[in-house]
Amino acid sequence: MSDKSSISLSYDEIIQVMKIYFQALYDADSKSLGSIFHPDARYVNMTEGDYMNFSVSEYLQIVSKRTSPSQQGAERTDQIISIETGTNQMAFVKAKMSMMGRSYLDFLTLSRDDSGWRIMSKIFSYSPEQGVS
């Protein structure tokens, strides 16, 4: 396999992780999120006045207690802004998502091992959606 096709395959695999990520957040599905987060991952909220820094297990416990936006019929938009690969084992994804009156900006680092691509860190911030009071 050439380097070019390997990179293309990596992008396709990362996009699949991101599809699971967006849907699992919308569904508050901690099991699906757990499948795409590395066990050593960190969850960090950098929103001013709302700093959080959790292990992935702490984060998944929080998610499992949420009422999902999908159950509430909330609208959702999501977008992968960029994907950068550094090697065959690491990548960076910049993504945004809007739901429940908030716009989120996520910086995700991913690592690839025998389990495939998984999120190693999620650093994000949020703000009220424009036009939502």
Side-chain angles (χ1 to χ4, degrees):
M1 185 182 294
S2 73
D3 287 2
K4 195 171 200 174
S5 62
S6 176
I7 290 170
S8 177
L9 180 59
S10 291
Y11 280 100
D12 292 343
E13 292 169 353
I14 292 166
I15 288 167
Q16 288 306 310
V17 168
M18 293 305 297
K19 286 180 180 179
I20 294 167
Y21 174 77
F22 290 133
Q23 191 63 48
L25 286 174
Y26 187 62
D27 293 335
D29 183 347
S30 59
K31 185 175 179 179
S32 290
L33 281 174
S35 75
I36 59 166
F37 272 83
H38 189 281
D40 296 331
R42 297 301 300 181
Y43 167 94
V44 181
N45 179 356
M46 293 303 299
T47 304
E48 189 173 340
D50 195 19
Y51 175 77
M52 294 176 225
N53 187 333
F54 297 126
S55 68
V56 71
S57 61
E58 292 168 320
Y59 170 55
L60 294 175
Q61 288 175 14
I62 292 166
V63 170
S64 69
K65 296 175 185 172
R66 289 181 183 159
T67 301
S68 73
S70 63
Q71 286 178 317
Q72 297 177 36
E75 290 186 29
R76 164 187 128 199
T77 61
D78 53 65
Q79 178 186 8
I80 298 170
I81 298 169
S82 64
I83 298 173
E84 296 180 37
T85 56
T87 67
N88 288 334
Q89 283 76 37
M90 63 184 207
F92 173 80
V93 176
K94 182 178 178 181
K96 64 182 181 178
M97 183 175 196
S98 296
M99 65 181 175
M100 304 299 292
R102 290 181 174 172
S103 293
Y104 296 88
L105 177 62
D106 297 349
F107 290 176
L108 306 170
T109 55
L110 288 82
S111 61
R112 186 171 73 178
D113 57 22
D114 292 340
S115 298
W117 285 103
R118 295 186 291 172
I119 298 168
M120 184 58 79
S121 67
K122 171 182 177 167
I123 301 175
F124 74 101
S125 66
Y126 65 83
S127 60
E129 280 184 86
Q130 292 181 356
V132 176
S133 52

